[in-house]
């Protein structure tokens, strides 16, 4: 619910002025909606290093749509998946406000 409010707020104030990309860029010619986030998270524990790197890159490309599944994957039984999920979440963290934002915007985004 909070993420939906944030998305609406950013759209209302013009996401371009904040430099925020809500869904990332498409990976391998696919739209972000076509990418199976759960399969990519599972791939973070793949035995081949190249496959793990590919999954990591593609999850970063998906962007915030992968945030909640990655947060849940922090507690995965596979320690490789759990650790990679934690590291990816740290990379996805962003500042939602700027100094020149109106006080109301800073107040609304303070919890994020």
């Amino acid at each position: 619910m909070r993420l939906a409010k944030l998305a609406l707020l950013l759209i209302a104030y013009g996401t371009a002025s904040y430099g925020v990309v809500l869904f990332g860029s498409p990976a391998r010619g696919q739209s972000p909606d076509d990418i199976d986030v759960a399969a990519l998270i599972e791939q973070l524990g793949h035995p081949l290093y190249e496959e793990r790197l590919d999954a990591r890159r593609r999850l970063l490309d998906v962007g915030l749509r992968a945030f909640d599944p990655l947060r849940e994957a922090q507690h995965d039984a596979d320690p490789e998946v759990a650790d990679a999920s934690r590291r990816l979440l740290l990379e996805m963290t962003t500042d939602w406000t700027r100094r020149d934002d109106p006080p109301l915007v800073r107040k609304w985004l303070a919890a994020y």
Side-chain angles (χ1 to χ4, degrees), residues 61-103:
D61 286 345
V62 169
L64 291 180
R65 191 170 66 86
F67 189 86
D68 287 335
L70 282 169
R71 194 175 62 190
E72 292 173 16
Q74 291 180 96
H75 308 290
D76 195 273
D78 183 342
E80 185 74 31
V81 171
D83 184 56
S85 297
R86 279 190 284 280
R87 286 184 277 125
L88 280 167
L89 285 171
L90 289 173
E91 289 185 45
M92 288 182 169
T93 303
T94 184
D95 293 325
W96 294 104
T97 61
R98 301 183 318 192
R99 285 185 194 186
D100 59 341
D101 285 337

Side-chain angles (χ1 to χ4, degrees), residues 3-93:
L3 187 57
K5 287 180 183 177
L6 175 64
L8 289 173
L9 178 68
L10 289 174
I11 290 168
Y13 282 96
T15 56
S17 65
Y18 291 94
V20 175
V21 176
L22 291 178
F23 297 108
S25 60
R28 291 189 180 179
Q30 294 178 317
S31 72
D33 294 333
D34 294 339
I35 296 172
D36 185 1
V37 173
L40 289 176
I41 290 173
E42 186 177 322
Q43 188 179 336
L44 291 172
H46 196 280
L48 294 176
Y49 179 69
E50 293 82 14
E51 292 294 323
R52 294 192 305 266
L53 283 181
D54 182 57
R56 181 184 173 284
R57 181 191 55 78
R58 293 177 66 194
L59 284 164
L60 286 172
D61 286 345
V62 169
L64 291 180
R65 191 170 66 86
F67 189 86
D68 287 335
L70 282 169
R71 194 175 62 190
E72 292 173 16
Q74 291 180 96
H75 308 290
D76 195 273
D78 183 342
E80 185 74 31
V81 171
D83 184 56
S85 297
R86 279 190 284 280
R87 286 184 277 125
L88 280 167
L89 285 171
L90 289 173
E91 289 185 45
M92 288 182 169
T93 303

